[in-house]
Amino acid sequence: MFSSSRKPSGTTPIYTHDILIHAESVLDMDGEYLDIPNEYEKSIRIRNDGKGLSCTDVPPGMTQPRNVLGFQDERTLHRLIARGKGFKELFPVYPLSAPFHGPNKTVEEVRETMRQVIADFEASEEAAALANMVKTNLKGCSVDKVIGFGMGLIGYARPSLSSLHPFYEYAAARVLAKAAQEVSSAPSVAVLVQDPFYTNVCKQVLEEFDIEVIDCFGAKGFALMDRNSIVVAHFPTFPFRELVADLARPALISMRAQEKVSPPAAGQRLNPMPLLDSRADVDSERSRRMMKEYHNAPLPVTRQRAFYANSWYVRNDIGTSQSEAKSLSTVSPASDPEVSRAPAQPSPSPLHLQSRTGKSQDEKR
């Protein structure tokens, strides 16, 4: 089913379209057991405790277990290598059961909140800055979609989290799509969002405002990324930048800023990845190589209510000729000081679960 010819290296992808789509299909079949193989024909299996539930909505005020897909990242691979193992034991995508919450808001109140927030946001300095940034940096592009990951639930609100913030993210995604449409050669620019934890109230209201919900268990949206995409993730609870690095080169990426790496001391190797960092989305060798193909697009605004703490990165070849684009997107591994893999260090291995019911513990808003 998958190629087993790959050998681990500093640039070897962990995620592939085939792996993501196959994992989605396994959960969709809803068998008694969920078996997801890796590229080396090893499988991870769990009993399907949520069998028959995924096709029904969780009732208001109720919580039920449902199947979702989690992600392992490059840190997991480093830990496996430290134990004398490697790619053959790595499961980039794996099944697990997680609690799903039914809505605690009505369609009517969510719809009204969305209407008010969109009107407020579209009249703001932030919206104007976002639109100008897109139109300035993406002239002549062929963007045809904005894909949002980790943008928050609107039909279910936890008391500890801001109930309005997700609405501003959706409003901002609409602004991005409208601005891209003005400079793109594509006939239309869609807004797509992914979250396996959406309630039926979330889905209904989002679609009423022309925001398409990707119906999935947490992986399909990543397989939809391509060069004609704008992709956005805000404090994700999954390894967003690694997924992007392996799967696509979007026209515009919005995420937490890439962190600077200090040169190693004499006699030491570069440590490209903080193994003890508890955040789900951290820089890796692969994501740092990808970012050589991008440049930062400033967003001059005094206050942000949508994607605060994010930076915006435009692919270098946009607005250039084909020959210029080729030279800008080519990185020589031999000349890249970040290709060397750091010595692996064993430490607890958090398995990343994509969820928009809340943020990771160290990044809750």
Side-chain angles (χ1 to χ4, degrees):
M1 178 173 53
F2 302 122
S3 168
S4 59
S5 61
R6 298 192 307 138
K7 294 183 180 180
S9 75
T11 59
T12 305
I14 288 178
Y15 312 103
T16 68
H17 288 81
D18 284 348
I19 286 175
L20 300 183
I21 296 303
H22 182 73
E24 286 279 350
S25 68
V26 169
L27 269 63
D28 191 52
M29 287 188 289
D30 203 28
E32 183 177 354
Y33 289 91
L34 304 175
D35 293 273
I36 295 184
N38 63 11
E39 290 192 283
Y40 297 90
E41 299 182 356
K42 292 191 175 185
S43 293
I44 186 168
R45 164 184 270 207
I46 66 169
R47 180 182 291 275
N48 186 3
D49 293 330
K51 182 175 173 59
L53 294 176
S54 296
C55 58
T56 62
D57 294 322
V58 179
M62 299 288 290
T63 301
Q64 293 178 352
R66 298 289 173 94
N67 298 320
V68 291
L69 292 169
F71 300 91
Q72 293 183 332
D73 66 2
E74 192 172 299
R75 286 171 294 184
T76 309
L77 178 59
H78 281 296
R79 296 180 184 108
L80 288 170
I81 292 173
R83 302 204 305 267
K85 300 180 180 181
F87 260 109
K88 291 185 178 182
E89 284 72 34
L90 181 71
F91 291 89
V93 186
Y94 62 94
L96 71 163
S97 179
F100 277 55
H101 300 284
N104 57 7
K105 295 181 177 182
T106 66
V107 168
E108 291 73 22
E109 63 180 316
V110 173
R111 180 189 295 126
E112 181 58 27
T113 301
M114 181 69 87
R115 184 180 294 112
Q116 293 176 2
V117 169
I118 287 176
D120 177 49
F121 185 80
E122 290 183 349
S124 69
E125 174 196 20
E126 182 178 357
L130 278 174
N132 184 63
M133 182 269 294
V134 168
K135 289 185 282 188
T136 299
N137 290 278
L138 298 188
K139 285 181 180 179
C141 72
S142 53
V143 165
D144 59 12
K145 57 188 166 296
V146 175
I147 310 179
F149 303 94
M151 294 174 66
L153 303 185
I154 57 176
Y156 174 81
R158 287 183 173 179
S160 60
L161 298 176
S162 169
S163 60
L164 278 183
H165 185 263
F167 291 89
Y168 281 100
E169 295 194 1
Y170 294 115
R174 285 166 47 98
V175 168
L176 291 170
K178 182 178 179 180
Q181 183 65 80
E182 294 186 30
V183 294
S184 175
S185 60
S188 63
V189 179
V191 179
L192 291 76
V193 293
Q194 174 177 291
D195 190 336
F197 291 90
Y198 279 139
T199 69
N200 60 318
V201 171
C202 296
K203 295 176 183 179
Q204 179 176 334
V205 174
L206 288 171
E207 289 172 356
E208 287 180 7
F209 287 88
D210 298 320
I211 298 172
E212 181 180 344
V213 174
I214 300 169
D215 187 20
C216 68
F217 296 94
K220 187 185 296 182
F222 298 114
L224 297 177
M225 297 185 299
D226 58 22
R227 294 178 65 82
N228 298 324
S229 305
I230 293 174
V231 297
V232 182
H234 197 204
F235 295 120
T237 56
F238 47 88
F240 174 70
R241 63 194 68 208
E242 288 192 59
L243 283 154
V244 177
D246 285 353
L247 298 167
R249 289 296 183 268
L252 178 65
I253 303 173
S254 177
M255 63 183 185
R256 178 175 46 80
Q258 177 179 324
E259 296 174 357
K260 295 181 179 180
V261 175
S262 300
Q268 294 184 343
R269 299 176 67 189
L270 175 70
N271 182 359
M273 193 169 197
L275 295 182
L276 298 179
D277 194 325
S278 63
R279 294 173 298 182
D281 181 44
V282 297
D283 295 319
S284 69
E285 293 180 52
R286 301 178 342 276
S287 69
R288 288 188 181 281
R289 287 179 59 82
M290 172 186 71
M291 294 310 295
K292 294 178 184 295
E293 303 172 36
Y294 287 80
H295 62 273
N296 181 260
L299 188 67
V301 59
T302 56
R303 176 174 176 261
Q304 293 188 58
R305 288 174 292 182
F307 305 115
Y308 60 86
N310 266 20
S311 292
W312 299 82
Y313 298 99
V314 179
R315 200 176 64 235
N316 291 337
D317 65 345
I318 294 179
T320 65
S321 66
Q322 187 173 359
S323 60
E324 290 173 324
K326 184 176 180 180
S327 65
L328 285 169
S329 61
T330 302
V331 178
S332 169
S335 64
D336 185 358
E338 295 176 353
V339 170
S340 299
R341 190 177 290 278
Q345 304 174 25
S347 61
S349 176
L351 299 182
H352 304 309
L353 166 65
Q354 179 179 331
S355 168
R356 292 186 193 136
T357 58
K359 302 299 179 183
S360 58
Q361 291 299 313
D362 60 322
E363 293 171 336
K364 283 185 178 179
R365 293 193 278 270

